[in-house]
Amino acid sequence: GIQVEQSPPDLILQEGANSTLRCNFSDSVNNLQWFHQNPWGQLINLFYIPSGTKQNGRLSATTVATERYSLLYISSSQTTDSGVYFCAVPKAGGTSYGKLTFGQGTILTVHP
Amino acid sequence: NAGVTQTPKFQVLKTGQSMTLQCAQDMNHNSMYWYRQDPGMGLRLIYYSASEGTTDKGEVPNGYNVSRLNKREFSLRLESAAPSQTSVYFCASSEIGRAYQPQHFGDGTRLSIL
């Protein structure tokens, strides 16, 4: 099956710093999603970004499908950005939109 | 609008006991999912239901059974719990059949098997 690797595994920032999280995947995909899991364990959809660039406030994401990677940018980080960031892609097959394979996540800690 | 509701939130079982985790969604979604999350391993799909009346195995189905009771409810059953099933279990739902619909997650069930 498809492999998803995220880097770095851990990231510690001072409030106000910028950061870039990376997601590499082993096969072509038509669907890539970024999720944030907050310190209380809740999972929130951030982006659906199969290709190109999207922005939502201080967060933006870019996927280069031909090179099989996606980047999540966090600017002017805040303590509320802390948590685990996951990328996820569908398993192989055209009807597999729902069958997601998750990366192992990047644990982000933002200190005040 | 509650979204996806999971019960219970916490549970401790002894090895060999059985248990059913409940999940209900009020967004009229066709598809529902069960994942488990273990430390350092991200989320892994256990079972998936594309629509009412259908279920399909995910990545780690062994030791689990599911029931899609109706469009709203999708339950996960552990018939004989094992310590390896200690995990956090998430239920999710989404639409399907369109280009993309996001998955909405419940708050999780933290399950410990002693």
Side-chain angles (χ1 to χ4, degrees), chain B residues 26-51:
Chain B
D26 62 3
M27 294 172 283
N28 203 36
H29 286 162
N30 285 311
S31 300
M32 298 185 74
Y33 317 84
W34 276 106
Y35 294 91
R36 61 178 288 174
Q37 184 178 25
D38 301 303
M41 297 190 72
L43 279 77
R44 292 181 293 170
L45 183 66
I46 305 171
Y47 268 96
Y48 160 63
S49 173
S51 60

Side-chain angles (χ1 to χ4, degrees), chain A residues 30-31 33 35 37 40-45 47-48 84 86 91 95 97-105, chain B residues 33 35 37 40-43 45 48 56-59 90 96-107 110:
Chain A
N30 57 9
N31 174 357
Q33 301 174 51
F35 295 84
Q37 186 171 35
W40 296 270
Q42 297 170 319
L43 278 156
I44 307 297
N45 267 282
F47 291 104
Y48 164 68
V84 186
F86 292 102
K91 296 185 183 299
T95 59
Y97 291 122
K99 296 184 180 181
L100 297 177
T101 297
F102 282 74
Q104 295 186 340
Chain B
Y33 317 84
Y35 294 91
Q37 184 178 25
M41 297 190 72
L43 279 77
L45 183 66
Y48 160 63
D56 193 9
K57 293 179 180 179
E59 185 181 353
F90 286 95
I96 199 167
R98 305 174 185 176
Y100 165 69
Q101 293 291 330
Q103 292 190 18
H104 298 263
F105 285 81
D107 288 343
R110 283 148 184 80

